[in-house]
Amino acid sequence: MATRGAILAAAAEEFASGSYHEASLSRILERSKVTKGALYFHFVSKESIALAVVDEMEVLCRAMVERADGLGLDGLRTAAQIAREMQDALEGPVVRAGQRLCAEGFAGPQRPGWPFRFWEETFTGLFERAAVAEILLPSVDPSSLARTIVDMSGGAFAASLAITELTDLAQRVCENWELVLGAVAVPAWLAAWRADGGMRAVLGPHVVLGVADGRGWVPGV
Amino acid sequence: MATRGAILAAAAEEFASGSYHEASLSRILERSKVTKGALYFHFVSKESIALAVVDEMEVLCRAMVERADGLGLDGLRTAAQIAREMQDALEGPVVRAGQRLCAEGFAGPQRPGWPFRFWEETFTGLFERAAVAEILLPSVDPSSLARTIVDMSGGAFAASLAITELTDLAQRVCENWELVLGAVAVPAWLAAWRADGGMRAVLGPHVVLGVADGRGWVPGV
């Protein structure tokens, strides 16, 4: 298991720093410090390693949602919390690599449309909860809002990566969410949200996402 | 010139339907019905063809902006017009291929961050114009709004392509823009906009984007 984790951690670094086709098995071997034999014991090909990195991302995303759900916040604050944690996670190799691989079409045939569908379903559920709690304006359709959030979030990652190597991702995420929340939440919710400092005050756990130790979620400093 | 156009049209189809690495020079040759010698007279490599397709996209995008600017609409309506025309254009091979190539990092070293920077500058200019015309709420920062629009638009294309092969792109674009315009425009502008039918009533020229005939912009039926 330690060997498999070392390979996946090295692969995440490799796939996060360039395209799938640029990634090389020999650099993954070098980074992971395992032998070629050990690598081929765990994985049959570069593609199977890429799919395993996307698996890791899926596990991390599901854990992130479950954890945020457990905080007992309302639907809108839970959604904002997930967005900030995802922004944090995108700085780490696993999610960044997974996102890149999915964008390049390497999510695997058993996972079509991942991660778009997963996030659309997750946010639709949260916004339906917000509608029931009457903190969403009655004119807002939860699933339409979820699609807007998915578009905005995926685009923010792609644009920030292309223009600033993710330096401005936090700013983009905060600006995007403030605009959208301002348009969809009821005034009382917005007043309380702004009094609490808004999106910038929503801090993720500043997680360091690693796979090498098999823990997945490592609270950072 | 006709040969070059035929090669670019075929290349756009090829790059639009899969990743850069999946694209094959022999299929481009087959689609374009030109000889290998003619292809190598115009282009030295697959990469140089890809760069020429991105050039075509750049020309089309600049022409689209210039044309929309010439309609004499206010800043917000001009922005909405461009968004609908771009959505139309993404159904055509040149822009779809160009967008894919840029997302995969094949925009070329002389064009870093294209098309993100181009669209951010274009929309910032339009929203500054809207601010001067006092149709944008005074609390809205034009360049921040432009970044949100860029994120939302790039993400809508990626999500729609991944989940529905662009079938739901028009719906996503309309929903996204209605939400954002509702949040940033002054009430009088919004009332007039809604009376006119909103985003769904903004029709592009239903352009057929082709490079083969060298005209670029072909008004459709």
Side-chain angles (χ1 to χ4, degrees):
Chain A
M1 276 311 285
T3 307
R4 189 174 187 277
I7 297 165
L8 282 181
E13 296 276 358
E14 179 72 7
F15 290 123
S17 63
S19 75
Y20 173 81
H21 284 277
E22 286 160 355
S24 107
L25 269 184
S26 57
R27 271 199 304 273
I28 292 174
L29 267 179
E30 211 175 284
R31 282 183 200 264
S32 66
K33 301 190 170 54
V34 306
T35 63
K36 207 178 215 175
L39 187 141
Y40 283 108
F41 173 78
H42 289 282
F43 298 103
V44 298
S45 62
K46 184 165 94 172
E47 197 187 349
S48 71
I49 302 179
L51 288 174
V53 169
V54 179
D55 283 344
E56 284 294 320
M57 176 176 72
E58 185 170 342
V59 169
L60 288 173
C61 290
R62 290 186 189 279
M64 193 186 300
V65 169
E66 206 175 310
R67 199 188 139 281
D69 264 337
L71 295 177
L73 302 169
D74 66 50
L76 293 179
R77 284 182 188 253
T78 305
Q81 179 71 32
I82 291 172
R84 286 288 265 171
E85 294 194 13
M86 189 64 185
Q87 167 222 312
D88 246 1
L90 282 165
E91 319 250 324
V94 174
V95 176
R96 188 168 166 178
Q99 200 73 12
R100 257 193 131 120
L101 288 165
C102 288
E104 288 181 65
F106 290 97
Q110 78 283 32
R111 210 162 12 196
W114 170 270
F116 300 104
R117 284 184 202 278
F118 171 73
W119 290 117
E120 187 175 327
E121 281 164 28
T122 299
F123 284 115
T124 297
L126 291 170
F127 297 145
E128 281 171 350
R129 180 137 69 85
V132 170
E134 297 183 0
I135 57 176
L136 205 63
L137 293 173
S139 57
V140 177
D141 174 60
S143 67
S144 168
L145 178 57
R147 281 190 291 277
T148 296
I149 288 296
V150 166
D151 292 353
M152 227 173 55
S153 307
F157 172 68
S160 180
L161 184 62
I163 308 179
T164 70
E165 278 286 326
L166 299 185
T167 309
D168 76 348
L169 183 61
Q171 190 198 341
R172 294 183 100 98
V173 168
C174 288
E175 287 176 342
N176 289 346
W177 277 78
E178 290 298 358
L179 189 147
V180 169
L181 289 171
V184 303
V186 299
W189 186 92
L190 274 176
W193 164 257
R194 284 172 184 156
D196 288 345
M199 198 66 181
R200 275 172 214 283
V202 176
L203 297 178
H206 296 297
V207 290
V208 177
L209 296 171
V211 287
D213 55 9
R215 284 183 295 165
W217 251 155
V218 185
V221 285
Chain B
M1 279 310 285
T3 308
R4 188 175 188 276
I7 297 165
L8 282 182
E13 296 276 358
E14 178 73 6
F15 290 123
S17 62
S19 76
Y20 173 82
H21 284 278
E22 285 160 354
S24 108
L25 268 184
S26 57
R27 270 198 305 273
I28 293 174
L29 268 178
E30 211 176 283
R31 283 182 199 264
S32 67
K33 301 191 171 52
V34 306
T35 63
K36 207 177 215 176
L39 187 143
Y40 283 108
F41 174 78
H42 289 284
F43 298 102
V44 297
S45 62
K46 183 165 98 172
E47 196 187 349
S48 70
I49 302 179
L51 289 174
V53 170
V54 179
D55 284 345
E56 283 294 320
M57 175 176 74
E58 184 168 344
V59 169
L60 288 173
C61 290
R62 291 186 189 280
M64 193 186 301
V65 170
E66 205 174 310
R67 200 188 139 282
D69 264 337
L71 296 176
L73 303 168
D74 66 49
L76 292 180
R77 283 181 189 255
T78 306
Q81 180 71 33
I82 291 171
R84 286 288 264 170
E85 295 195 13
M86 189 64 184
Q87 167 221 312
D88 247 1
L90 282 165
E91 319 250 324
V94 174
V95 177
R96 189 168 165 179
Q99 200 74 14
R100 256 192 132 122
L101 287 164
C102 289
E104 289 182 64
F106 290 96
Q110 78 282 36
R111 210 163 11 197
W114 169 268
F116 300 104
R117 283 184 202 279
F118 171 74
W119 290 118
E120 186 174 328
E121 281 164 27
T122 298
F123 284 115
T124 297
L126 291 170
F127 297 144
E128 281 170 350
R129 179 138 70 82
V132 170
E134 297 183 1
I135 56 175
L136 204 63
L137 294 173
S139 56
V140 177
D141 174 60
S143 67
S144 167
L145 178 57
R147 280 190 292 278
T148 296
I149 289 296
V150 167
D151 292 352
M152 227 173 54
S153 307
F157 173 67
S160 180
L161 184 63
I163 307 180
T164 70
E165 278 288 324
L166 299 184
T167 309
D168 76 348
L169 183 60
Q171 189 198 340
R172 295 184 98 99
V173 168
C174 288
E175 287 177 342
N176 289 346
W177 277 79
E178 291 298 357
L179 188 146
V180 169
L181 288 171
V184 303
V186 299
W189 187 91
L190 274 177
W193 165 257
R194 284 172 183 157
D196 288 346
M199 197 67 181
R200 276 173 213 283
V202 176
L203 297 178
H206 296 296
V207 288
V208 177
L209 297 170
V211 289
D213 55 9
R215 284 183 294 165
W217 249 159
V218 185
V221 285

